[in-house]
Amino acid sequence: MDLRFSLAHATDAERSAVDACLGPPTSRWDGGERVGTEESRTASSGHAARARRDLLLPALQAAQRRVGWISEGALTYICERLDVPPAEAYGVATFYSLLSMTPRPRRVLHVCDDIVCQCRGATAMIAELERAAGPPLGHGPHADHVVLDPDAPQWIRSPCLGLCDQAPAALLQVAGETPTDKLFGATTAAELQAVLRGDDRIPERAHPTVPQAGAPTLRLLSRMGVVDPMSLDGYRSTGGYLGLRRAFEIGPTGVIREVLDAKLLGRGGAAFPTGKKWDAVARQPTRPHYLICNADESEPGTFKDRALMEGDPFALVEAMTIAAYATGCAHGYIYIRGEYPLAIERIEHAIGQARLRGLLGEHVMGQEFQFDLEVRRGGGAYICGEETALFNSIEGFRGEPRNKPPFPVDFGLFAKPTVVNNVETLVNVPWIARDGGAAFAAIGTAQSAGTKLFCLCGCIERPGVYEVPFGATLRDLITMAGGVRGGRPLRTVLVGGAAGLFVRPDELDIPLTFEGTRAAQATLGSGVIMAVDDTIDIRALLVRIAAFFRDESCGQCVPCRVGTVRQEEALHRITLRRMRGSVADELALLGEIGLGMKDASICGLGQTAYSAIESAINRLHLFEDAVAP
Amino acid sequence: MTAPAALVQLTPPRRSIELQIDGEAVSAPEGTTIFDACRQRGNVLPTLCYLETLHPVNACRVCVVEVENSRVLVPSCSRKVEAGMVVHTDTPRVRHSRKMVLEFLASSVDLSTTPHVSEWLADYACHPERFGPPAPPAAAGVRDAAHAGHHAAPDPEYAATVHQPTKLDNELYVRDYRKCILCYKCVEACGTDYQNTFAIAVAGRGFDARISTEFSIPLPGSACVYCGNCIAVCPTGALMFSSEHDRRAAGTWDESRQAVVDTICPYCGVGCTLSLHVQDNEIVKVTSPFDVSITRGNLCIKGRFGWQYVQERPGAGSGRGQRNGVPRGAGDQGDGESGRVGKGGGNGRDATSPADSPLGKRAPG
């Protein structure tokens, strides 16, 4: 294409980081030096360069991770390499919160101030940090803070980091030749200051919290904390790869039949029958088919997928291999949120080990079946967990959801039939392939088969990932986790995350099944169970949820782009007692805004942005005292 | 706007789909959108982001309709008709969503030059002021620098807006993003739908999303070729000829005194149709009809902007220091202007130095 590039040059460091991601340039036409004289007259590699558009986000991340931000020179070089218009690449780069287009120091600490961390003292911790370390790095439209000293560390407020079992949490990113990302859990302001100063003795928190570790009844968590997640032999000696072996025996249609018999429903929130999805893709004559594992777990309060990837990475690799075999995919992607460094490291290690042992590659287990996996790292965007936004993100475009129909099974990644499954959904698959669908469906309820992972967090005695057969009630789960922290009275439980609902303490007998929550007009969502006791300011949680949706809206459709802003403004006015009219007027306005977002937004983000707030108003009657004269 | 039926039909005839719209049985060719099926019945649904010459992005959500058995409302501009579909275009649910969308836009964006919108605001009983008085405009460049993610807490006194100074960085057109509803049309016209220039894209996220060049550099440094096809598709007047913008600022823009005259562009052999908008015997802007199959409303810099030579008259302003007879700077609120047009290539010269044009000396017709 006839593109116009800036004259800004990438530094050697930026160039080498990008080349490490894309490989060295082969000619002048993809950003290299001119070779010979013919090159001045012929252009032959444009199509080849553009065909690698999907490497745009990885290349941007490489530059960001090398120097801490993306300079004009770095962006230009990436655009030259991939033949991408600079305006488009800028549009993509500015979409992700972990990428910065203005100078940032090399050492940046992202401190979570989201709802779960708020329940565990983050508000006071951040206030203390701010007193000691100064205000957070300029962010948003009202602070055009420019940092010139790359060696002066800075901190930033962050949405949920998915470390809710060890809240309050923070993520350290250090750019450099060997960039490092570290998660800190159960942290304090003093510890964070030490981390900021460059103290490397502060321990990265080690493992996911699995209070049930070692219990014999576990299916999904059976290896957690028991088997070394870095050892393929450990995995194989505990039943690993028996599922894939049996899959090869019964063939692709046999696998799909077992998954249908298992009545496995998607665990990402939508509860779509997995077998149906697989069958639809398997039958598509169009090739290739793609398989994607959606590991962009960003729903506030959710950490089960991180736990699975950190604690049992080979299970996901095996599960994807089985899924790919059943649906005729030769290439799969695992899209892991960028805030999960340990999960990324372990999954990449597991993929490497599986390749070495012939469990991925040209002849998987010696069979006539080829499959390989690639990890893609998210850039800090909740919306990329929406499956069609995820496609756009992988393809190198802005992570904006697509309108459906067409559905991914017809028209997905690279416009090909695509299977997208959540991590937890997939991790059920090796068990189903090995022991059969009927055995799988033997536990749980008639409509919700098998077991489910729940993320117990907030004001709870023993936060962590819990696995129970479908049918357990909210009360059972809270009891398993030791009840409310310190024996305090329970005020409310947020079920399903920021896009879920608040329920009252008298509703704890809701069975946590797909049909049970539906009957109670609630949702399982991503399996979040956040307990809130009487010490917590629920209104502050609501304001944070509203701010979250405002921050994370992609901005594509009007109801969500402006509705999330108007919703936050109205809530803010109520909490500050600066209403336009009465509280009842503001609540009515919120209801109208919420209904507009729910009915007219393109994707689930806008459609659910009001649900938690609505439940606080209508189920908890949170503002009733304020409405009374 | 005329339906694309005027275009030459190159595809094979399509099956007919039976559906129901507002209680009436309707049949429409397979592949028709609900929007077109409604329009064929004389029911033109309101829309801002839809244009028949561009791919629908269904971002504005003004045209939503209710389809039975669909959980949420569907955008009529992109959803194709299906057999047995039952569509309602004017239920309370539909009216509520349209009302909210229009209020969201009217409370955050300047819709003063958006056609039809005042009728719609009245039709749907909109009260955009109920969200609060509009926030004062952001300083130049502030919205362009917004980072995705955390934002400052809202001001309880105001409703947030996209108001900001007009971008005046070239002599041919202005970008007034306080009027931008992010319909994506300009990006599509500049990109793969027509021009393949890719000078602009959507940047940022959420309410901070904006149309931007790379690093929000001024247009003269960008890839812009000044074809003006973005202006042609802009539904709100956010992109506007300088000649129109300056006259509006000076209070001399008067469409009731304008005539639209169609002619053929004299520059090259393609023969694009030009619609000259003439006020007081002066060309004030140029458009091209969307239903002419040669270019479907698109032009190049010459056809769009290269018409000053027609009205070069002895004694009139030389063009230097004046824009089409209006003193430079009238109504400018930004940081001045670069005075640079194009990239210094031949195309730019045609527009700014009419005397250099081979036709430049011709007397006005």
Side-chain angles (χ1 to χ4, degrees), chain A residues 4 141 400 551 569 578 600, chain B residues 61 142 151 157 160 184 343:
Chain A
R4 183 186 168 96
E400 293 171 352
D551 285 341
E569 287 170 347
R578 303 263 299 269
Chain B
R61 317 303 277 187
V142 169
H151 64 281
E157 292 299 311
Y184 290 59
K343 293 182 278 187

Side-chain angles (χ1 to χ4, degrees), chain B residues 269-323:
Chain B
V270 174
C272 303
T273 302
L274 303 182
S275 299
L276 308 178
H277 296 242
V278 181
Q279 178 182 329
D280 306 333
N281 207 27
E282 257 192 304
I283 299 171
V284 291
K285 76 172 171 186
V286 171
T287 57
S288 182
F290 288 110
D291 58 351
V292 170
S293 60
I294 296 172
T295 57
R296 297 197 177 198
N298 295 288
L299 294 171
C300 73
I301 182 173
K302 301 182 200 177
R304 186 79 64 189
F305 294 108
W307 33 262
Q308 283 84 351
Y309 69 90
V310 178
Q311 49 208 36
E312 280 284 305
R313 301 184 189 88
S318 67
R320 296 267 174 242
Q322 288 202 334
R323 265 194 207 137

Side-chain angles (χ1 to χ4, degrees), chain A residues 60-306:
Chain A
L60 290 167
Q61 287 168 331
Q64 168 83 31
R65 288 162 63 76
R66 180 64 185 85
V67 292
W69 67 293
I70 298 165
S71 68
E72 193 175 344
L75 186 92
T76 302
Y77 183 60
I78 292 168
C79 290
E80 286 175 357
R81 293 295 321 271
L82 297 175
D83 208 27
V84 172
E88 276 194 14
Y90 182 77
V92 170
T94 52
F95 189 83
Y96 297 99
S97 69
L98 292 180
L99 303 180
S100 178
M101 308 307 290
T102 46
R104 266 193 188 175
R106 280 191 281 274
R107 192 179 188 87
V108 174
L109 184 65
H110 303 256
V111 184
C112 177
D113 68 352
D114 217 319
I115 49 175
V116 182
C117 284
Q118 270 192 25
C119 289
R120 312 284 299 189
T123 309
M125 179 188 81
I126 288 172
E128 195 185 331
L129 178 68
E130 188 156 358
R131 275 194 301 277
L137 187 57
H139 230 218
H142 304 292
D144 47 354
H145 193 114
V146 175
V147 179
L148 295 174
D149 181 1
D151 294 317
Q154 294 277 353
W155 68 283
I156 299 184
R157 286 169 175 268
S158 165
C160 181
L161 292 168
L163 202 65
C164 320
D165 49 344
Q166 293 155 72
L171 167 71
L172 175 71
Q173 292 197 306
V174 187
E177 227 160 313
T178 47
T180 49
D181 290 0
K182 279 184 183 177
L183 280 165
F184 298 94
T187 188
T188 61
E191 205 174 270
L192 292 183
Q193 284 173 62
V195 171
L196 259 184
R197 279 195 305 269
D199 188 339
D200 288 328
R201 288 166 304 173
I202 309 295
E204 190 176 4
R205 39 110 252 124
H207 290 287
T209 321
V210 184
Q212 293 164 297
T217 53
L218 298 176
R219 279 186 184 175
L220 303 176
L221 302 180
S222 62
R223 294 187 193 87
M224 303 284 272
V226 179
V227 178
D228 179 4
M230 305 295 272
S231 160
L232 180 52
D233 291 327
Y235 180 70
R236 298 193 76 158
S237 67
T238 49
Y241 280 102
L242 292 180
L244 182 60
R245 193 171 295 281
R246 173 135 188 281
F248 286 132
E249 286 163 24
I250 60 179
T253 49
V255 175
I256 292 176
R257 201 163 46 240
E258 294 287 10
V259 175
L260 282 167
D261 287 349
K263 293 188 271 185
L264 178 64
L265 303 182
R267 308 293 201 235
F272 190 82
T274 306
K276 271 194 193 172
K277 195 187 274 183
W278 288 15
D279 191 42
V281 171
R283 288 171 189 278
Q284 287 282 354
T286 315
R287 298 280 154 161
H289 298 170
Y290 288 105
L291 172 67
I292 296 176
C293 171
N294 183 348
D296 193 44
E297 176 180 67
S298 310
E299 186 67 44
T302 317
F303 48 93
K304 62 184 175 69
D305 295 342
R306 174 181 59 81

Side-chain angles (χ1 to χ4, degrees), chain A residues 1-6 69-73 75 85-88 90-92 94-102 104 113 138-142 144 156-159 380-383 398 400 403-405 544 546-548 550-563 565-566 568-569 572-573 576 578 580 589 591-593 595-602 607, chain B residues 57-61 64 71-75 78-79 82 93-94 96-97 99-105 107-109 129-133 142-161 180-184 191-192 196-210 212-217 220-224 340 342-343:
Chain A
M1 281 189 290
D2 181 20
L3 300 180
R4 183 186 168 96
F5 297 114
S6 147
W69 67 293
I70 298 165
S71 68
E72 193 175 344
L75 186 92
E88 276 194 14
Y90 182 77
V92 170
T94 52
F95 189 83
Y96 297 99
S97 69
L98 292 180
L99 303 180
S100 178
M101 308 307 290
T102 46
R104 266 193 188 175
D113 68 352
H139 230 218
H142 304 292
D144 47 354
I156 299 184
R157 286 169 175 268
S158 165
Y382 170 71
I383 189 58
R398 291 164 56 79
E400 293 171 352
N403 211 58
K404 290 190 261 189
R544 183 64 187 93
F548 175 81
R550 186 252 189 240
D551 285 341
E552 299 297 338
S553 166
C554 77
Q556 186 182 198
C557 69
V558 177
C560 177
R561 179 177 76 232
V562 188
V565 172
R566 296 289 176 252
E568 187 198 12
E569 287 170 347
H572 204 69
R573 288 194 299 265
L576 292 177
R578 303 263 299 269
R580 295 181 53 77
L589 183 65
E592 287 193 38
I593 295 168
L595 184 59
M597 288 196 288
K598 186 175 174 180
D599 266 348
S601 295
I602 292 178
Q607 289 162 12
Chain B
V57 292
N58 51 73
C60 78
R61 317 303 277 187
V64 288
R71 190 171 45 87
V72 290
L73 302 178
V74 304
S78 63
R79 184 66 174 269
E82 290 160 27
R93 218 177 136 197
V94 167
H96 176 76
S97 279
K99 172 185 166 163
M100 293 315 295
V101 165
L102 289 168
E103 284 187 339
F104 288 156
L105 287 175
S107 63
S108 58
V109 183
E129 66 285 354
R130 64 188 175 137
F131 300 116
V142 169
R143 279 192 59 82
D144 295 325
H147 189 282
H150 265 254
H151 64 281
D155 184 336
E157 292 299 311
Y158 296 111
T161 64
C180 177
I181 58 164
L182 279 178
C183 68
Y184 290 59
T192 46
N196 284 283
T197 289
F198 305 100
I200 47 172
V202 182
R205 193 167 82 193
F207 194 69
D208 302 324
R210 65 259 174 196
S212 181
T213 56
E214 62 272 23
F215 292 92
S216 55
I217 56 170
S222 78
C224 179
R340 223 188 113 201
K343 293 182 278 187

Side-chain angles (χ1 to χ4, degrees), chain A residues 442-613:
Chain A
I443 63 169
T445 64
Q447 287 171 62
S448 305
T451 62
K452 175 84 190 84
L453 299 184
F454 289 98
C455 311
L456 272 286
C457 58
C459 309
I460 198 91
E461 196 61 47
R462 285 191 299 276
V465 187
Y466 289 81
E467 180 179 2
V468 290
F470 272 110
T473 64
L474 204 44
R475 189 186 308 280
D476 297 337
L477 261 303
I478 291 175
T479 310
M480 275 177 88
V484 178
R485 174 184 59 179
R488 298 205 67 92
L490 182 69
R491 279 281 302 281
T492 179
V493 183
L494 178 64
V495 181
L501 296 100
F502 286 98
V503 301
R504 293 186 306 271
D506 61 31
E507 296 179 294
L508 295 189
D509 293 315
I510 296 176
L512 294 174
T513 57
F514 294 113
E515 64 278 13
T517 46
R518 205 176 302 128
Q521 291 173 319
T523 171
L524 279 185
S526 53
V528 176
I529 297 179
M530 184 179 94
V532 179
D533 70 18
D534 62 337
T535 63
I536 303 300
D537 179 359
I538 299 178
R539 293 178 188 200
L541 297 182
L542 290 190
V543 169
R544 183 64 187 93
I545 287 172
F548 175 81
F549 284 115
R550 186 252 189 240
D551 285 341
E552 299 297 338
S553 166
C554 77
Q556 186 182 198
C557 69
V558 177
C560 177
R561 179 177 76 232
V562 188
T564 52
V565 172
R566 296 289 176 252
Q567 166 172 281
E568 187 198 12
E569 287 170 347
L571 266 178
H572 204 69
R573 288 194 299 265
I574 300 177
T575 47
L576 292 177
R577 309 286 304 164
R578 303 263 299 269
M579 286 83 68
R580 295 181 53 77
S582 67
V583 172
D585 293 338
E586 293 282 20
L587 294 184
L589 183 65
L590 272 173
E592 287 193 38
I593 295 168
L595 184 59
M597 288 196 288
K598 186 175 174 180
D599 266 348
S601 295
I602 292 178
C603 79
L605 190 151
Q607 289 162 12
T608 58
Y610 179 55
S611 74
I613 292 157

